[in-house]
Amino acid sequence: MSGDYRLQQLRAAMRARGVSRVVAVSSSYHNFLDLNPVLVCTGFKSMGDSALIVNAEGGENLIVSPYWDAFRARSRSGLQDIAAVDDAVAYLLSKAVPAHVAGATALAGLRRLPTAQAGAIRKKFADAVDGDALLEAAGNSPDPSRLAAARRAVEVAEEGYRQLLPLLVPGSRECDIAARIYTEIKKLGADDNFMLLTSARHGRGITTASRKLLEAGDTVVIEITPSIDGQFVQLPRTAYVGVPPRHLRRDAELLLQVFEHGLALCRPGARVCDVARGMNEVLARAGYGDYCCPPYMRVRGHGMGNVSNAPGDVTVDNDSELKEGDVFVLHPEQYLPESGYLLLGEPIAITADGARVLTSRRCRLDAVEVA
Amino acid sequence: MQTMHPAIVAGQHTLELAAIDPDVFAARRRQVDDLLEAGRYGGLVIYGDAQDSSVLTYLTNYMPRMRWAVALLSPGQPLRLYVAGPARDLPFVRDMTTVDALHPFEVFEQDLAAWADGEPSCGPPRLAGCNLERARDPVALPLSRVCAAEPIDSLDAELERLAAACTPLVRAKVAGAHRLILDVAQGLARESRRGPVAPALAAMDFERRAYEAGAYQVQTLFGDGASLVLEPFDGHGDPDRHASRGVLYAALKVAGYAADAFVCLGPQDDGLADIAKEILAAVREQAQPGVSVASLRATVRLLAGRAGAAVFDDALVAQLGLRIVPLADASVLSAARAYSLKLGVLRAGMAYFASDVLFLE
């Protein structure tokens, strides 16, 4: 099962740190930017709240909700000791789960729960230490299945984009295009897709598709972000309906230079903030230094994925170091005064000595012919 | 029924599409002001997120797609809405809501502190809250810091009662959402009448067609029609796997209001379908204000047992409105409410799922 390697890593880390038991809790409220502790260790994504109790010396208990999802939980996780209940947190707080065991207990995932719920769990396991770092390390471990999932997700994203481009015709509705691609992405095996699509003559951002009809002269910014086994990858793209004007081609070329410079800075040990600063410097040299902040941009890239969200947001505030195996999107999303909001970039993986773009077709400003 | 929460809520929802008269929102606001005045509260904090924003939506039409939002409301003053997410998204939020005073969430704590202090002449107001049990750290921690001296009273029950009331407008909206499910489903059912069916693909097709028809937050489960097991598409298994029949559970919103239903696909066992429909009809007849869900469930199990059928009744009764609220056994049906009734029966390796919508006057 896809969580096996990571579960082994977790156990090894537990033993090294003297932790006897990890109690990991996952919310039903899935966010593609957040770690899902239960999914990290089991490969199973629960519909309701869920929890996993991992014992350092072997054995794990999975608590899932709703109770009628037991069959799927068993099939996806490969685990046998499963409590399928109506309320996973209530079960966790009940006598069925001992508050104390011999040795230390670590809690993980509580920061993503409602505060009141997290408080109740902390109260029960009052002696527990913070286990989030253990789960993050397990999720970020060089798990072959995670990289394979990322590669598969990239294939799916690229195929989705390939199918999307011909749909960008004047008169077509944003939401109809998005609905179709959302479905096609699922048919290709993605369990979810964080998909944004916005068209405008002079856009200011990107959001979910609206009822707007596409027109000749629209710039269409797109994010296709499929998930395979909890690993999301993002394909950021910009297309123009018609023949792109010169200023748009120029600005898109500038963003590609920003991307390439950022990519060149990415290697194991490089600080994320330095990558972001390097990308900003390219824009500053072009006279757009004042635009390197919200609301003109948000981040220069980000991790994502319910298994690993390393290295976090690519911003000048993030001083964490890139590691081999990190998979994230590097995207100079940027509002520029002449062209409006543009979005270009690639999902990349940090290799032993640099970074590799995962797509087969490099991003560029795509132009959709208008009859 | 529980479904898989998506990374981002898709579909159409704007103030224009909701087609709710501004006077309605004004009247709702007056209701809340009256409630605050009766309780001598000087302020109300309302939390909403992409899973549950019913009271927030009731007052503002806004539904967060990915993160959360918090409203600060003082009687007689314009409501302020703090929206989590990038600042570039605020113009898009504006299309969804009646609220003029939109703010990025980054300024929430500083504004909260000033708001909680109240007017210099009056001192700190007594505060109430709604849906705060769901709030996560970015909201809950500032609230606990700023409002440490005086606990925030919960008005959950009162406000949820207001938001759940099935007025003629709400009835029309819920009925419209339910009708959309049936309209889309009928197309799929027609195409699958002779079988075989690929239930996972049918669920995906349902989602696409529902979005194209203008729905918001479409969520589905599917089953193979040979058991009572329903599942979300989670990327595992072959979506093209066919069965002689299938079943879909679909939930969606239109104009902010939610409905759900079961849809059977492929050739059906008429005898089993009749059993399911008869049980549902009996439940519908019994479902009056004051009746408990437990007693309805007992009826289902009695009748299913007599027919020699196993039953899935976990989602038997749900309250419909700005969100779908599954009702536990202890719940009692109320007047002026909209409900969905749903069950599945299994016999001789074949399953049939039936559902209906019920408006209690």
Side-chain angles (χ1 to χ4, degrees), chain A residues 36-50:
Chain A
N36 179 326
V38 171
L39 191 150
V40 167
C41 297
T42 67
F44 171 68
K45 186 173 171 183
S46 178
M47 282 192 280
D49 295 339
S50 59

Side-chain angles (χ1 to χ4, degrees), chain A residues 10 14 42 114 144 147 160 228 306 327 352:
Chain A
L10 176 65
M14 287 166 69
T42 67
L147 192 52
I228 301 282
N306 302 145
V327 174

Side-chain angles (χ1 to χ4, degrees), chain A residues 27-33 43-49 65-69 71-72 76 86 111-117 122 175-176 179-180 182-183 186-196 198 204-211 223 229 232 294-295 297-298 333 341, chain B residues 1-12 14 17 47 49-51 64-68 85-89 91-92 132-138 140-141 201 204-205 207-209 211-214 218 220-221 229-237 239 301 312-314:
Chain A
S27 168
S28 62
Y29 188 172
H30 300 305
N31 183 323
F32 85 110
L33 298 171
F44 171 68
K45 186 173 171 183
S46 178
M47 282 192 280
D49 295 339
S65 64
Y67 75 88
W68 44 266
D69 207 26
F71 173 80
R72 193 176 64 93
R76 305 296 188 253
D86 284 334
R111 279 200 294 271
R112 294 169 198 93
L113 299 183
T115 306
Q117 222 177 31
R122 283 195 187 96
C175 53
D176 292 345
R180 184 150 152 193
Y182 182 81
T183 307
K186 276 195 166 179
K187 287 179 182 175
L188 292 167
D191 66 273
D192 200 352
N193 178 15
F194 180 91
M195 176 147 183
L196 304 182
T198 302
R204 293 202 170 261
I206 186 169
T207 187
T208 50
S210 72
R211 290 176 61 77
E223 278 183 356
D229 282 342
F232 284 85
M297 48 78 68
R298 191 180 75 86
E333 48 113 4
Y341 183 82
Chain B
M1 286 180 69
Q2 185 77 52
T3 52
M4 190 71 83
H5 183 73
I8 189 161
V9 176
Q12 299 312 299
T14 64
L17 287 174
Y47 172 86
D49 61 32
Q51 275 187 316
R65 288 183 182 271
M66 183 186 173
R67 295 179 176 86
W68 62 89
R88 67 172 192 223
D89 285 359
F92 301 116
L132 298 186
E133 283 288 302
R134 281 194 62 83
R136 283 154 169 85
D137 282 357
L141 294 183
L201 286 185
M204 294 174 199
D205 277 340
E207 290 180 15
R208 176 180 59 81
R209 295 181 198 204
Y211 282 126
E212 287 171 353
V218 184
T220 59
L221 302 170
V229 172
L230 296 172
E231 56 184 305
F233 181 69
D234 62 3
H236 292 261
R301 291 180 180 182
F312 176 82
D313 60 5
D314 183 69

Side-chain angles (χ1 to χ4, degrees), chain B residues 181-238:
Chain B
I181 295 177
L182 296 186
D183 287 346
V184 173
Q186 263 165 25
L188 283 174
R190 239 186 340 262
E191 288 160 26
S192 71
R193 193 160 293 143
R194 288 192 178 78
V197 176
L201 286 185
M204 294 174 199
D205 277 340
F206 179 93
E207 290 180 15
R208 176 180 59 81
R209 295 181 198 204
Y211 282 126
E212 287 171 353
Y216 180 85
Q217 197 170 7
V218 184
Q219 294 181 237
T220 59
L221 302 170
F222 63 90
D224 63 7
S227 73
L228 295 174
V229 172
L230 296 172
E231 56 184 305
F233 181 69
D234 62 3
H236 292 261
D238 179 7

